[in-house]
Amino acid sequence: MTLRNILLGATMLCAATTPAYAFAQDAAAPADAGTAVDDTDYGNDIIVTASKRSQTLQDTPVAVSVTSAAQLEDAQIRDLIDLQTAVPSLRVSQLQSSANTNFIIRGFGNGANNAGIEPSVGVFIDGVYRSRSAAQIGDLPNVERIEVLRGPQSTLFGKNASAGVISIVTQKPQYEFGGSAEVTYGNYNAITVKGDVTGPISDTVAFSIGGSYNRRDGYAQDLNLDTDVNDRNRWGVRGQLLFEPTDALSIRLIGDYDKIDENCCIAGNVIAGPTVAITDALAGGTSIDRENPFSYDVYNNFLSSNKIENYGGSAQIDYDLGNLALTSITAYRQVRADTNQDSDFTAADLIGEKSDYVDIDTFTQEIRLTSDFDGPINFLLGGYYFNEKVNQQSAIKFGDDFRPYASALISQASGGAFNAAQLEAVMGSANGTDYSGQFFRAGDGLDEAYKMKNEAFSIFGTVDFEVTDRLTLTLGGNYTKDRKRFSTNVVSSDVFSGIDLTATGGRALTQQFVSTQVGGILGVPGGMASAEQVQAFAQAQPAVFQQIATVGTQFGQLNSTLNPADVADDGNDFTVGNPLLALRPLQFLPPFLNVPNAVESGKTNDGDFSYSVRAAYELTDTVNIYATYATGFKASSINLSRDSRPTAEDLPAIISGGLGLPNLVSGSRFANPEESTVYEFGLKGQWDVAAVNVAVFKQSIKGFQSNVFTGTGFALANAGKQSTFGIEFDGSVRPVDGLNLTLAATYLDAKYDSFVNSAFGDISGATPAGIPELSLSMGGTYTHEFAGGTKAIAHLDYSYESPVQIVEGLSGFPASVAQNLKREVNSLNASFTVRLTNGIDVGVWGRNLTGAQYLTTIFPAVAQAGSVSGYPSQPRTYGGTIRYKF
């Protein structure tokens, strides 16, 4: 029996016999959608609005997991990165900076490392879409709940999300004066301060204001710079006004500002390649901690920086028209992310600058009309408008050590025939150019500027038809039109990357042969005659020189092309036929063909109609089932990076049109749209002391947008199709008063049905990397009330992910290397809180108490063939908290 069959049988048995737990409410709910739910109160119906109308959880036929405010407090979940320990279907990976965080639901997700790629998982905060991770990861005061809606959400959200939605809800202002204050201190000198105040301004106006400050010393040590790194430094404020001039009208205004200024994120060495000896020599000692990523000891030559400003405002208007409710949400947001990283992750100054400044302005408008008729038919009809401008300035520049580093690599590749200076002389002679001191010059590289404007609108809605008192059919649709315009202004000052080594190879090799032969005859030290010496020899001995030149020309012609046998063998361009071709990896900053041009318009224009069909049936008063077929859509993503290249279809026209540049090859300017589908069967039950959620699904995305780091850049490509069969179970039971036990489990069987043009060749049939087959989250909370009302609350939760291959492949390595690099997660969190009757909580907590160590992401080391780097998981953290609520 397969693991799938075992889990399917066990899950359906649990669904029939074991109580389970799940709360669900929606971020885009009307302002009066209810208050936070006491986690210990399982006897009452829980009102949710995940379907954009008020229903009980049991009646809401949507696969959704919700983490309540109490759970966030008990588990010390500080941000969305921590949230994955409570939601097994969610994975969150922070990459090279605080501004690059990737969210994955059910094995689908992308969007980091490129401002032109919208995420497949949409993040909404109080109903407002946050389009990039830099606008999503800041701490929020007074969070009421965080919801994870799984699968494509096309007919409920105007902004289509092909993989799922993370919806964060903060508490609205109250008409009773109250608030809270919290201070936390933990290891690594961590200090967190949070507070909020709410109350009435008048009988019809209420306010709330909250703020947070979150800092921590770095848990890693940079031994070269003698400082701690991977610190935390964030603060933010958020204010709200609630106007309710009549019983029918509600206006909620929200304004917020948050700032991040951190040193992030360290990468440890996983595999030490042959270049480490060179970087050690250049650094004058240790340049990396070899193959020890969990030492949290790193060696850089400058501190990486992450400065993010995120601010904006929104206005939500709800108007009650009797049997109809009108909702409008208007929002404007700005994100400024300024990062610079020592991206070679060594003490040698190879990459002196890798900076990105991204400026994103977003305006959104959503309007919905929802019915509440007594009859069998009800509907939701909405419209959504999205307008975004992205401006990005980036740079990658050689550091002071790159020239000697490249010189050593050139000497190795040429068998000692060249160093950087000799290569300049030979190529200068071959091309008639003086290259002296120009190859790999410090400060040379790429200066990049990108602009993109995205304008989109959608019309969406659902219709519910109550066939009987127990059976409801729902039809939904979403038509989306998405237009993008983009332009680039990228200039390369890297002289070496602008040389065509194939065309130059014959001339350079001929020149090398002649110089060597003449130098040998003349007895020149070093063996190579200068151009002046060759010219003088030709004049003095023309007959001998002519013989040498003839043989040299034949030598150059024979060796200036690729070796066909080698190409047929393994596709490796670095052949002995032309040793100069072995230097191509050093040409990773070539001249850039900017867009728009005579062939490429720099525009995309996408349109799509997504829909859903669902049947929900009430088996009993406590058990409901539903079946859903739904589709989703995500528009084209733009490759706003130095790795943007003309498509293979456009390249011939570009070359024939005279737009060709040295070393210009095909690649991707943009990725085509994603189209997702899901078949899902769900069961929901709720009893006095328990509740249950089960979902069995088959979900797929055609054209999944893959963005993979290759060591010198990113490869953006569409997979033909990626699909996942999955089973999700989450539940809780209260066996005795005061004790609540929870279990959530996700089984995923994922594969690439078709992915021919991946960065690692045809990987059709392979399992997508980073998606564990089995994920578990289990926990327990025990509350004991003493005489007089004081409570003691003990909480324990454990998360597990089965071993999984971290990446599909590693450029320059055999497939077996990537297959053997796996991640397994075992993480234990705990807290103990004493809740006094005067509103004061005093508690202690710990996260990752087992000290679990795993690599979140691995990648080929930047410009260091044979080495692999990786981002290690966070170490054990612990501390104490004092909280006061009034």
Side-chain angles (χ1 to χ4, degrees):
M1 180 177 290
T2 65
L3 177 59
R4 176 194 294 190
N5 292 334
I6 293 172
L7 280 172
L8 180 60
T11 302
M12 297 311 294
L13 177 62
C14 287
T17 62
T18 305
Y21 159 78
F23 291 112
Q25 297 189 21
D26 177 53
D32 59 351
T35 58
V37 178
D38 185 347
D39 287 344
T40 62
D41 186 5
Y42 296 97
N44 298 330
D45 286 334
I46 302 165
I47 303 300
V48 301
T49 53
S51 58
K52 298 296 179 75
R53 66 179 76 245
S54 294
Q55 293 177 295
T56 66
L57 171 65
Q58 181 182 339
D59 294 332
T60 305
V62 176
V64 57
S65 298
V66 174
T67 307
S68 68
Q71 289 175 296
L72 296 173
E73 291 178 358
D74 290 341
Q76 286 293 309
I77 294 174
R78 294 292 179 186
D79 53 31
L80 292 180
I81 297 175
D82 293 337
L83 183 64
Q84 61 188 320
T85 61
V87 183
S89 293
L90 173 67
R91 273 207 57 79
V92 186
S93 297
Q94 188 170 75
L95 305 178
Q96 77 271 23
S97 72
S98 301
N100 286 280
T101 303
N102 204 26
F103 301 96
I104 299 172
I105 293 178
R106 289 180 170 176
F108 302 98
N110 51 28
N113 286 313
N114 194 319
I117 303 177
E118 285 191 63
S120 298
V121 175
V123 175
F124 292 77
I125 300 179
D126 287 327
V128 176
Y129 178 60
R130 302 290 184 95
S131 63
R132 300 296 187 278
S133 60
Q136 300 163 355
I137 63 172
D139 301 327
L140 290 172
N142 214 9
V143 173
E144 184 174 297
R145 59 191 180 274
I146 301 177
E147 311 161 0
V148 179
L149 285 79
R150 307 184 291 271
Q153 305 296 324
S154 59
T155 61
L156 297 177
F157 291 82
K159 187 61 179 176
N160 223 326
S162 57
V165 164
I166 300 173
S167 185
I168 302 173
V169 183
T170 66
Q171 291 185 10
K172 67 174 185 176
Q174 303 294 309
Y175 285 98
E176 290 186 11
F177 184 76
S180 67
E182 175 185 316
V183 177
T184 294
Y185 182 80
N187 59 333
Y188 303 108
N189 199 29
I191 299 174
T192 303
V193 180
K194 298 173 64 176
D196 66 276
V197 177
T198 186
I201 296 177
S202 69
D203 291 340
T204 59
V205 181
F207 80 96
S208 70
I209 186 168
S212 65
Y213 172 73
N214 186 348
R215 71 158 308 278
R216 182 200 65 212
D217 292 342
Y219 58 76
Q221 292 295 316
D222 192 315
L223 300 184
N224 187 53
L225 298 175
D226 192 25
T227 185
D228 62 275
V229 288
N230 266 40
D231 64 350
R232 179 63 59 88
N233 187 16
R234 305 176 178 185
W235 66 271
V237 294
R238 183 178 178 85
Q240 300 186 57
L241 286 175
L242 178 64
F243 299 89
E244 295 179 318
T246 68
D247 292 340
L249 178 62
S250 173
I251 302 173
R252 185 181 182 186
L253 304 179
I254 303 174
D256 65 272
Y257 176 91
D258 61 76
K259 187 174 183 178
I260 295 174
D261 186 358
E262 300 173 348
N263 175 271
C264 185
C265 303
I266 65 163
N269 179 258
V270 180
I271 297 176
T275 61
V276 175
I278 303 175
T279 57
D280 281 352
L282 292 171
T286 303
S287 62
I288 61 171
D289 192 1
R290 296 181 181 223
E291 301 184 354
N292 192 16
F294 300 112
S295 68
Y296 302 103
D297 290 337
V298 296
Y299 296 81
N300 295 306
N301 57 280
F302 69 89
L303 285 175
S304 299
S305 62
N306 298 263
K307 298 179 180 179
I308 302 171
E309 287 185 290
N310 172 45
Y311 50 95
S314 65
Q316 177 170 330
I317 302 173
D318 294 288
Y319 192 68
D320 187 353
L321 300 172
N323 291 328
L324 298 173
L326 183 66
T327 298
S328 169
I329 303 177
T330 307
Y332 177 74
R333 301 213 56 82
Q334 297 178 315
V335 179
R336 310 284 184 263
D338 188 0
T339 64
N340 189 24
Q341 185 182 45
D342 184 6
S343 58
D344 58 77
F345 301 111
T346 73
D349 187 15
L350 304 184
I351 305 299
E353 177 184 353
K354 176 59 184 80
S355 61
D356 296 282
Y357 176 77
V358 183
D359 182 343
I360 303 176
D361 293 356
T362 307
F363 173 80
T364 58
Q365 173 64 58
E366 180 178 359
I367 188 166
R368 302 191 306 268
L369 184 66
T370 306
S371 72
D372 186 18
F373 298 128
D374 293 333
I377 296 179
N378 277 286
F379 67 88
L380 177 150
L381 179 64
Y384 187 84
Y385 176 74
F386 177 83
N387 187 304
E388 183 169 78
K389 296 178 181 178
V390 177
N391 288 289
Q392 176 177 332
Q393 288 82 42
S394 300
I396 180 169
K397 304 292 181 67
F398 294 134
D400 291 337
D401 290 335
F402 198 89
R403 180 176 170 88
Y405 173 75
S407 186
L409 294 178
I410 291 168
S411 179
Q412 290 179 356
S414 62
F418 302 110
N419 58 27
Q422 292 168 332
L423 185 66
E424 289 170 338
V426 169
M427 288 193 168
S429 297
N431 294 325
T433 304
D434 184 6
Y435 290 128
S436 300
Q438 296 185 30
F439 289 179
F440 319 111
R441 185 168 47 197
D444 284 358
L446 283 184
D447 289 287
E448 311 164 61
Y450 310 94
K451 291 185 177 181
M452 182 181 77
K453 182 176 181 180
N454 182 193
E455 190 170 29
F457 69 86
S458 64
I459 300 172
F460 62 98
T462 61
V463 176
D464 294 335
F465 176 59
E466 294 183 8
V467 180
T468 69
D469 289 343
R470 292 187 176 271
L471 176 63
T472 300
L473 302 179
T474 301
L475 298 176
N478 180 314
Y479 176 75
T480 294
K481 189 70 173 178
D482 186 287
R483 296 185 179 93
K484 293 183 174 74
R485 292 182 295 167
F486 63 99
S487 63
T488 70
N489 182 16
V490 180
V491 179
S492 175
S493 55
D494 177 13
V495 176
F496 182 70
S497 289
I499 297 175
D500 186 341
L501 294 179
T502 301
T504 303
R507 298 194 301 271
L509 291 168
T510 298
Q511 183 67 37
Q512 178 199 18
F513 181 87
V514 171
S515 298
T516 302
Q517 295 299 313
V518 172
I521 294 173
L522 296 178
V524 174
M528 292 185 65
S530 66
E532 292 77 9
Q533 290 172 322
V534 170
Q535 185 176 6
F537 181 82
Q539 293 173 350
Q541 300 188 45
V544 177
F545 177 78
Q546 185 59 47
Q547 292 178 344
I548 294 174
T550 300
V551 175
T553 300
Q554 295 173 344
F555 173 79
Q557 290 173 344
L558 287 171
N559 292 281
S560 63
T561 57
L562 300 178
N563 185 331
D566 186 67
V567 172
D569 179 45
D570 61 6
N572 184 3
D573 287 347
F574 313 146
T575 74
V576 295
N578 178 354
L580 295 182
L581 297 181
L583 305 180
R584 278 182 172 174
L586 293 174
Q587 295 186 311
F588 57 91
L589 303 175
F592 190 94
L593 179 63
N594 283 302
V595 178
N597 54 56
V599 177
E600 300 172 293
S601 65
K603 296 179 181 178
T604 64
N605 190 347
D606 302 316
D608 179 81
F609 178 74
S610 303
Y611 61 94
S612 63
V613 180
R614 182 170 60 234
Y617 187 73
E618 185 179 342
L619 287 175
T620 69
D621 292 341
T622 57
V623 178
N624 286 2
I625 59 173
Y626 68 91
T628 299
Y629 173 76
T631 67
F633 171 78
K634 189 182 84 168
S636 298
S637 287
I638 308 302
N639 195 351
L640 297 183
S641 78
R642 58 188 171 86
D643 305 301
S644 178
R645 302 283 188 273
T647 64
E649 293 78 10
D650 287 338
L651 188 58
I654 286 171
I655 294 175
S656 63
L659 298 176
L661 296 171
N663 298 320
L664 180 65
V665 296
S666 63
S668 65
R669 293 293 195 193
F670 56 88
N672 291 320
E674 294 181 351
E675 296 181 353
S676 58
T677 60
V678 63
Y679 299 85
E680 184 173 315
F681 170 79
L683 180 147
K684 292 172 179 280
Q686 184 171 333
W687 298 270
D688 289 341
V689 296
V692 63
N693 265 353
V694 179
V696 181
F697 64 89
K698 179 67 177 291
Q699 186 171 330
S700 63
I701 293 184
K702 292 183 178 179
F704 177 75
Q705 297 169 358
S706 171
N707 191 44
V708 175
F709 186 63
T710 62
T712 56
F714 289 87
L716 177 63
N718 288 102
K721 184 180 180 181
Q722 178 184 344
S723 65
T724 300
F725 169 83
I727 305 169
E728 296 167 329
F729 171 89
D730 61 271
S732 75
V733 59
R734 189 177 62 186
V736 296
D737 287 345
L739 177 62
N740 182 46
L741 302 176
T742 64
L743 170 65
T746 297
Y747 167 76
L748 298 176
D749 180 10
K751 68 175 180 177
Y752 286 120
D753 301 83
S754 174
F755 198 174
V756 177
N757 299 315
S758 82
F760 313 106
D762 187 354
I763 57 174
S764 301
T767 299
I771 304 174
E773 187 177 46
L774 180 64
S775 301
L776 295 173
S777 177
M778 60 186 71
T781 302
Y782 179 71
T783 303
H784 178 76
E785 184 170 352
F786 298 93
T790 297
K791 294 181 179 180
I793 304 169
H795 171 82
L796 190 73
D797 65 78
Y798 168 76
S799 61
Y800 168 78
E801 293 180 9
S802 59
V804 62
Q805 185 175 325
I806 303 175
V807 291
E808 275 98 16
L810 291 165
S811 297
F813 288 87
S816 59
V817 175
Q819 292 168 358
N820 291 329
L821 292 172
K822 296 188 176 183
R823 175 183 64 235
E824 181 179 5
V825 177
N826 290 276
S827 182
L828 180 68
N829 310 311
S831 68
F832 179 77
T833 303
V834 176
R835 180 163 297 163
L836 306 176
T837 56
N838 58 3
I840 295 179
D841 291 358
V842 179
V844 293
W845 54 269
R847 291 191 59 80
N848 189 22
L849 291 174
T850 56
Q853 296 179 339
Y854 53 91
L855 294 168
T856 61
T857 305
I858 58 174
F859 54 92
V862 176
Q864 299 164 73
S867 289
V868 175
S869 301
Y871 298 115
S873 59
Q874 293 190 21
R876 180 187 299 109
T877 56
Y878 51 86
T881 298
I882 298 176
R883 183 182 302 111
Y884 175 55
K885 295 184 179 181
F886 57 93

